[in-house]
Amino acid sequence: MATWLAKSEPEVYSIDDLARDGATGWEGIRNYQARNHLRAMKVGDRVLFYHSNGEPPGVAGIAVVRKEHFPDPTQYDRDSAYFDAGSKPDDPRWSSVELRFVEKFAHFVPIGVLREDPALDGLEVTRKGSRLSLHPVSEAHYNRIVALGRDGLAGLTGRRES
DNA sequence: GCCAACGTTGGC
DNA sequence: GCCAACGTTGGC
């Protein structure tokens, strides 16, 4: 099982929206590197749900892959912001997956914590200039972030409650 | 709103 | 294939 991090602007689609809907088609990926990651996602893979452009940005919860990649319908929809006139129906350029809600963290994990935690060195989302909206996360990093989300900083050894 | 970083486009 | 211009992302 692989683990991933997916960004979403909470103003557009938040963890609360996913909790309400139960599951959703993950549409609108328009970056080849992110698309390639998306096509590698397997049923059962866990996904850290990251709020970008939030106040503050950070990891809000967990989703799971329910359905592997299929053509993103919005690429053929002229009324969609994601419409792509260059994508042919017999050779779809963009893909989507279906994600199911798993949990919303008791403790939102803000980007400042992701940056400062030595256990999370090398995490893609905190790399300067990182814009990739979907990328793999190591199992160790995933487990660490889930622990932070469930227990908060107080639950970790070597840290004082603040 | 600013701006750094990055991806894409298109002229050559 | 190079690279400047442009558009977008996303933290601050």
Side-chain angles (χ1 to χ4, degrees), chain A residues 1-4 32-45 65 67-70 95-97 134-136:
Chain A
M1 180 191 81
T3 45
W4 310 87
Y32 287 103
Q33 202 179 346
R35 182 205 67 181
N36 293 342
H37 286 318
L38 185 134
R39 289 184 177 176
M41 295 175 103
K42 301 294 182 193
V43 168
D45 282 0
V65 177
K67 185 180 173 196
E68 281 162 31
H69 73 92
F70 53 92
S95 299
S96 179
V97 292
L134 173 65
H135 56 81

Side-chain angles (χ1 to χ4, degrees), chain A residues 34-115:
Chain A
R35 182 205 67 181
N36 293 342
H37 286 318
L38 185 134
R39 289 184 177 176
M41 295 175 103
K42 301 294 182 193
V43 168
D45 282 0
R46 298 284 162 150
V47 182
L48 294 168
F49 197 100
Y50 180 89
H51 282 176
S52 60
N53 280 312
E55 300 236 352
V59 182
I62 304 173
V64 63
V65 177
R66 185 164 87 169
K67 185 180 173 196
E68 281 162 31
H69 73 92
F70 53 92
D72 181 341
T74 63
Q75 68 195 307
Y76 304 122
D77 178 1
R78 290 192 169 274
D79 296 327
S80 168
Y82 301 124
F83 175 68
D84 181 354
S87 184
K88 305 287 184 292
D90 58 344
D91 184 21
R93 184 176 288 172
W94 306 113
S95 299
S96 179
V97 292
E98 195 168 301
L99 297 182
R100 181 173 58 76
F101 175 76
V102 173
E103 70 179 81
K104 179 181 176 178
F105 285 153
H107 303 267
F108 182 83
V109 186
I111 191 169
V113 170
L114 298 177
R115 277 192 207 291

